[in-house]
Amino acid sequence: MAAFLQWRRFNFFDKEVVKDPETNQTYDKLKDINISASVSGRGQLIFGDHDGYLHMLNRELQINSFKAYEIRVSHLFQMKQHNLLISIGEDEQGVNPLIKVWNLEKMEKGIPNCTRISRAIPANKPTPVTCLAAHECLNWMAVGFENGSVIVLKGDITKDRHSKTKVVYENSKPITGLAMKTSGKNIILFVTTGGSVISINISAKQEQKMTLEDFGCCSSCSVMTDHTQDNQLVIGRQDAVYFYQPDGRGPCLAFEGEKLQLHWFRGYLIVVGKEYKGLPRAPILGGQTLEMNIVSVYDIQNKFIAYTAPYADVISVLCEWGSVYILSGDRKLYHLQEKDTQTKLEMLFKKNNYTLAISLAKSQQYDQDGLIDIFKQYGDHLYGKGDHDGAIDQYIKTIGKLEASYVIRKFLDAQRIHNLTKYLQALHKAQQATKEHTTLLLNCYTKLKDVNKLDEFIMTKDREVDFDVETAMKVCRQAGYHKHALFLAEKHQKHEWYLRIQLEDNKDYQKALEYIGKLEFDEAEENLKKYGKMFMSEVPQQTTELLKRLCTDYRPTDRPLIDQVNLDGGIPRIQKASAEEFIHIFVSNSPRLTEFLEHMIKVQPNSPSLLYNTLLELYLHDIVHEKDISAKTDKVRKTEDLLKNPEAKYDLDQALVLCQMNNFKAGILYLYEKAHLYQQILRYHMEHDDYVHVIDTCKKFGAQDSNLWVQALSYFARKEENCKPQLMDVLAHIDKKNLLPPLLVIQTLAHNSTATLSVVKDYIIRRLQLENDQITEDERLIKQYREDTEKKRAQIEELKTTAKIFQAAKCSICNHPLELPSVHFLCEPHSFHQHCFESYAENDSECPVCAAENRKIMDIIRAQEQSKDLHEFFHNQLERSQDGFSVVADYFGRGVFNKVTLITDSPTRQRTGSRPSSRLP
């Protein structure tokens, strides 16, 4: 129960007597009205009197009066959402109350349309009406009576028809108040008597009554709040004011004193009560002394008294046009105008009542900027009083609007570092902190050595990011809190920061390398390129293993071998780096590089040539510097296997240079042979005077390059020592393949003093005999060619001078008897059916039988004709040839140096047919 004395009093309403706008004098048009009831709403004040009149007062204070009842008006009820007025009064003497519903929208000669007239008698027992209520849906109306009965009229309250009347409550005590409320789908009727408070669900099929309180209130001492207080029923008693919901009592406020009236205005509870202490003397009207009442306006939400003042015998309190109007017993109409929010706040600021100012601003839906300004003023006030804890709480509420530097400057003193820390924490939670704020907060933690707070700020795993991570890591690292910096780097995947801290500060290379192994492919590749040399220097074996994974089929270590892609039947994407890009990090560790390259070549035989070249270089380097014989032999074997591997993609030229630089004989000879450099193999053996291998080389590769034997002959001919066996062997091969003219052989051997006639005697005799045989064969062929030529000339002459008789009986193509028409050629002669000739002949002027042979001869003649003009080709061939005489002889034989006359005419044919004729050449 809130004590009334604890509520502070303010004067938030301006009081003035209403004046007549025409005369500017006190408004007195109500002084002669004997008011019996009053109500306000829909832009007017309405009064009922004991003479049955209704007086409607508009905003310009103009009165419209009309006769509503014959005797008097007892009760009025104005609908809020509809311009309808419900009145109860009497048209006849005795107890016979009538309900009338007036439609104020439809006026005729200043009189509203009366849409309903019905009697208000509970169960045919006439009794005076004490109160009236209606629901805004226009389907429910309740009337309370002096005998304790309550009737409910269900149906359209604006019409007499289709309306049902039902007694919903009966009691021995008069009904003092009625109010209706919508609760969900139910219509709740509150009923108050002098001894109880009841709620009735009148919309249910069976009325559900609930007694909320065993004491009640007087007439006019109950009112319904608005939505700001959840539409509660309020009753006023001597000791307090009580609030009720349909299911029970709510809070109560200890406002002591006798209550005469309760009203509700914009969240304020207006109480008209009796008060005898400290009031001025009451005025005397018509010889009667008026009682003094006190009107108090309570702000229920913010718990303060907004206004209190005495009035003479208050008749009614009306709320309209955003103001409160009070009609007193002396018939004066008073206007209470609420001060604007800013004025009220300034009044509170002057009294340093900032807490109430904040509460008031919130209840008035003050804008955010206005609230921030109040918080700032309150904070400044508390700061000036030395209440730094309270001040920082207020400044925290200004975050997002008030410049943070304004607050920070006030608390930079070392003695207020706790307050500054609290503000900076709130700044981060509101996500309004900059990098500088994060730096300052972390420095506060480190200055205070408050590791727990630092842990809470940084290492809470479920915490949302409300600070700049990189700034936090930088500050923690500078302050030596590497653990916290590492936590942030790992949590927020700041890979570069994590590695720098581990490598530069903690020197924990193993953990750094394991961290890289958990990264995605691109990040792992990038960081190994960046820190690879450092890792190779400190943890070479682990680094090599990671590189093997990275360059084959990389998968982060914290990822399962079988992921969702495999389970779905998809083909996983293989990610691998280029091994050649990591060779440089092994610069100081050849054994690990050898291991890495051997692994890559084994797993990926199609590796780039750089890998094979580098591995070959490492092998050759090891062979040169290896002292252990067995180990050296093993390395030689591995090197030869590498060179002879058919899948190896080393660069042949570079491999040859490497083998030559390291004097690796087996490799040099193999690569010469692979490159078909047989002359180089021979020269290599000659340089080492290895006679056996010289002869073997000529035997092995002589078929591919016959000039090897000539080179061998020149080599042995230059030797002064006795090389007779070798010379004999070489001469035998030269003779067998006729590689050199005998004269050139003799000239070559003439320079060797050890090469006697006995060495070449057999060779010379054999060569002379072969040449003699060749001369004899050439002479025979010459004679034969001459004879053939004479025969051909004679045959040509015969064809030119002598008639040719065609005696062939059969076709030369189909061998059937020859029939006309036919075609005859002079060549054999050959004869054909005309249809056979046309089917098989390629053209009309050539014998189909002789065409193939003639074409060969013509091709040879054309080739000779073309060759004889190739002078440059001839000279090049002559210069390159070791036997120039044979080249010249070949060109003579092809007619290059003779003028040749070609016979291009084809053999003439003779056609015979229906028209005998003959065509001779």
Side-chain angles (χ1 to χ4, degrees), residues 109-126:
K109 297 181 180 180
I111 301 174
N113 182 26
C114 182
T115 64
R116 174 174 183 163
I117 301 175
S118 60
R119 296 187 181 279
I121 300 175
N124 294 321
K125 298 176 182 178

Side-chain angles (χ1 to χ4, degrees), residues 92-122:
E92 301 173 354
Q93 292 293 336
V95 180
N96 190 15
L98 288 177
I99 301 174
K100 294 185 180 182
V101 179
W102 308 89
N103 185 351
L104 302 182
E105 295 285 348
K106 298 180 179 180
M107 304 288 288
E108 185 175 350
K109 297 181 180 180
I111 301 174
N113 182 26
C114 182
T115 64
R116 174 174 183 163
I117 301 175
S118 60
R119 296 187 181 279
I121 300 175

Side-chain angles (χ1 to χ4, degrees), residues 588-627:
S588 59
N589 200 329
S590 297
R592 297 282 77 78
L593 178 57
T594 302
E595 177 187 343
F596 173 67
L597 293 176
E598 286 176 345
H599 173 79
M600 292 306 303
I601 289 172
K602 180 180 178 182
V603 175
Q604 299 175 4
N606 60 340
S607 295
S609 60
L610 179 60
L611 270 64
Y612 284 97
N613 295 340
T614 306
L615 182 59
L616 178 61
E617 184 177 0
L618 291 170
Y619 281 168
L620 294 173
H621 180 271
D622 291 344
I623 291 174
V624 172
H625 295 85
E626 184 60 61
K627 304 298 183 183

Side-chain angles (χ1 to χ4, degrees), residues 230-242:
D230 198 22
N231 299 106
Q232 300 182 80
L233 175 70
V234 186
I235 69 169
R237 288 177 56 81
Q238 180 76 25
D239 57 343
V241 171
Y242 297 86

Side-chain angles (χ1 to χ4, degrees), residues 546-582:
L546 179 55
L547 281 172
K548 289 178 183 179
R549 289 197 299 112
L550 186 69
C551 296
T552 50
D553 182 9
Y554 178 76
R555 186 184 296 270
T557 53
D558 59 353
R559 185 175 298 175
L561 293 176
I562 299 177
D563 55 17
Q564 191 61 40
V565 176
N566 301 103
L567 295 175
D568 294 341
I571 300 175
R573 184 164 66 98
I574 296 177
Q575 293 180 305
K576 56 183 179 180
S578 300
E580 60 267 27
E581 296 181 3
F582 295 93

Side-chain angles (χ1 to χ4, degrees), residues 492-533:
H492 299 289
Q493 298 184 349
K494 302 292 183 180
H495 310 310
E496 182 180 355
W497 276 90
Y498 183 92
L499 293 173
R500 284 171 58 189
I501 296 168
Q502 287 286 33
L503 296 175
E504 297 173 12
D505 300 327
N506 294 348
K507 308 293 183 184
D508 195 337
Y509 304 99
Q510 182 63 39
K511 283 189 177 179
L513 192 64
E514 291 174 357
Y515 183 81
I516 291 178
K518 297 177 183 178
L519 300 180
E520 293 298 325
F521 171 76
D522 293 335
E523 294 161 339
E525 180 184 22
E526 179 184 353
N527 284 291
L528 269 180
K529 287 179 180 178
K530 187 173 183 179
Y531 299 107
K533 288 184 179 180

Side-chain angles (χ1 to χ4, degrees), residues 795-852:
Q795 189 176 3
I796 292 170
E797 185 65 26
E798 182 181 356
L799 288 172
K800 288 181 178 181
T801 59
T802 309
K804 185 73 174 178
I805 300 172
F806 301 111
Q807 296 177 338
K810 293 183 179 182
C811 176
S812 298
I813 292 178
C814 65
N815 286 325
H816 290 154
L818 200 62
E819 297 175 355
L820 295 178
S822 60
V823 180
H824 305 276
F825 282 86
L826 299 174
C827 47
E828 282 299 326
H830 291 130
S831 300
F832 310 92
H833 292 118
Q834 185 173 352
H835 63 84
C836 291
F837 173 76
E838 291 175 350
S839 300
Y840 289 92
E842 295 181 1
N843 55 65
D844 292 343
S845 61
E846 193 171 15
C847 174
V849 177
C850 301

Side-chain angles (χ1 to χ4, degrees), residues 70-171:
E70 292 299 327
I71 298 179
R72 71 184 182 97
V73 178
S74 61
H75 296 82
L76 294 174
F77 186 89
Q78 173 70 52
M79 307 297 294
K80 291 184 174 61
Q81 299 177 14
H82 307 276
N83 203 2
L84 295 176
L85 175 67
I86 304 172
S87 64
I88 296 179
E90 297 165 0
D91 280 343
E92 301 173 354
Q93 292 293 336
V95 180
N96 190 15
L98 288 177
I99 301 174
K100 294 185 180 182
V101 179
W102 308 89
N103 185 351
L104 302 182
E105 295 285 348
K106 298 180 179 180
M107 304 288 288
E108 185 175 350
K109 297 181 180 180
I111 301 174
N113 182 26
C114 182
T115 64
R116 174 174 183 163
I117 301 175
S118 60
R119 296 187 181 279
I121 300 175
N124 294 321
K125 298 176 182 178
T127 180
V129 174
T130 56
C131 51
L132 169 67
H135 196 276
E136 292 295 331
C137 70
L138 303 182
N139 284 324
W140 302 92
M141 182 166 56
V143 182
F145 298 93
E146 193 176 89
N147 67 355
S149 299
V150 177
I151 64 170
V152 170
L153 289 79
K154 180 180 179 183
D156 190 348
I157 64 175
T158 64
K159 300 177 182 178
D160 292 330
R161 298 177 181 178
H162 311 298
S163 180
K164 296 180 181 179
T165 303
K166 183 179 181 181
V167 177
V168 296
Y169 181 75
E170 289 182 314
N171 185 38

